[in-house]
Amino acid sequence: MFPLRDHNPSSRFPFVTLALIAANVAVFLFCLPLFSNPKALHALFMEWGMVPALITQSGDWSGMLTSMFLHGGVLHLAGNMLFLWIFGDNMEDRFGHLGFLLFYLAGGVAAALLQYAVEPSSPVPVVGASGAIAAVMGGYLLLFPKARVDLLIILIVIFRVIPVPAWLMLGLWFGLQLYSGASAAADEGGVAYWAHSGGFIAGLALTLPLWLKLGGPAFWNRTAGSPPHPVGVYRATSVPRVRRRR
């Protein structure tokens, strides 16, 4: 099950969303030669990733920020950037360019904090933008619960695109992160589910003041939980672009 796009036009060009995607891709390409040398790659992740055990020992928290721009492979990067492109432009539209950048970074740090709190002695480096992107998804759920999201459903050899409301897709995703985080063994490599959960919750919390400023439940009543459609919108999500990969 993969999201392909949302039906939610935005009224301003998503400069920050595109800049974040470009930064993540640039860092990955810079690090790409190290992927043929596992020891060098591990050293890079230990230096610039978020390593809970090192934070506990040295008190150096800088990895919580730098880890957001590192990825463990092409699919890891592509999946994260796909989610950021689908949901980021609308959040940037509502927060403004600078506000969205601060929101994104704060969400990523909050995600790393929860991952650290759950496993403070883990020696496994945590890398990836997924915690920050989970914050974007959490905020999106609060603002646009009934926005339509096209999901690609793959059942063995059957491929079908099904439009579903954002609350269903994002709610299922968040529930899966909580379940997987509770079920996963500690101090093992793999997906940082608690970072995803922490980012999602942080995104909800950070978006709450904006939602209340827009009117809270009255905002939902005006739009029926769906995206408003202002005149002269920038229809970023109506163009296939890279999301066609999935």
Side-chain angles (χ1 to χ4, degrees):
M1 180 177 72
F2 304 98
L4 297 177
R5 68 169 189 166
D6 66 343
H7 299 269
N8 190 350
S10 55
S11 60
R12 70 180 87 196
F13 190 82
F15 292 108
V16 173
T17 299
L18 290 173
L20 287 169
I21 292 173
N24 278 279
V25 172
V27 170
F28 180 79
L29 292 177
F30 179 79
C31 298
L32 189 59
L34 297 180
F35 279 79
S36 60
N37 186 337
K39 289 185 178 179
L41 184 64
H42 179 71
L44 173 74
F45 288 164
M46 292 295 290
E47 177 70 21
W48 298 104
M50 195 276 287
V51 186
L54 294 182
I55 294 176
T56 300
Q57 295 168 9
S58 66
D60 182 2
W61 301 84
S62 60
M64 290 192 172
L65 184 63
T66 56
S67 63
M68 283 187 256
F69 296 92
L70 297 173
H71 288 84
V74 174
L75 292 180
H76 187 201
L77 173 70
N80 278 345
M81 296 305 100
L82 174 65
F83 275 74
L84 178 56
W85 175 239
I86 292 175
F87 300 109
D89 64 316
N90 300 111
M91 294 299 291
E92 182 176 348
D93 190 30
R94 286 294 171 176
F95 273 94
H97 301 306
L98 179 59
F100 176 69
L101 177 60
L102 296 175
F103 167 86
Y104 179 90
L105 296 175
V109 170
L113 282 171
L114 181 58
Q115 186 69 35
Y116 170 74
V118 173
E119 299 178 350
S121 60
S122 173
V124 180
V126 177
V127 299
S130 51
I133 296 168
V136 174
M137 295 163 65
Y140 190 101
L141 174 61
L142 182 59
L143 293 180
F144 311 111
K146 292 187 179 179
R148 308 301 289 182
V149 180
D150 288 346
L151 293 183
L152 174 62
I153 306 296
I154 302 176
L155 299 174
I156 307 177
V157 295
I158 300 175
F159 297 81
R160 186 171 182 178
V161 176
I162 300 177
V164 300
W167 67 262
L168 178 60
M169 179 259 164
L170 296 174
L172 287 174
W173 182 88
F174 179 58
L176 180 61
Q177 306 313 304
L178 288 176
Y179 172 79
S180 300
S183 303
D187 297 341
E188 290 186 3
V191 179
Y193 293 110
W194 289 115
H196 295 175
S197 301
F200 194 91
I201 294 170
L204 283 169
L206 292 169
T207 306
L208 184 61
L210 173 62
W211 178 68
L212 293 174
K213 182 179 179 181
L214 291 171
F219 174 68
W220 284 347
N221 292 336
R222 290 197 306 271
T223 63
S226 299
H229 294 280
V231 177
V233 296
Y234 169 71
R235 297 186 178 276
T237 53
S238 64
V239 182
R241 277 184 289 269
V242 296
R243 65 187 64 170
R244 294 176 63 187
R245 188 186 67 80
R246 291 191 178 184

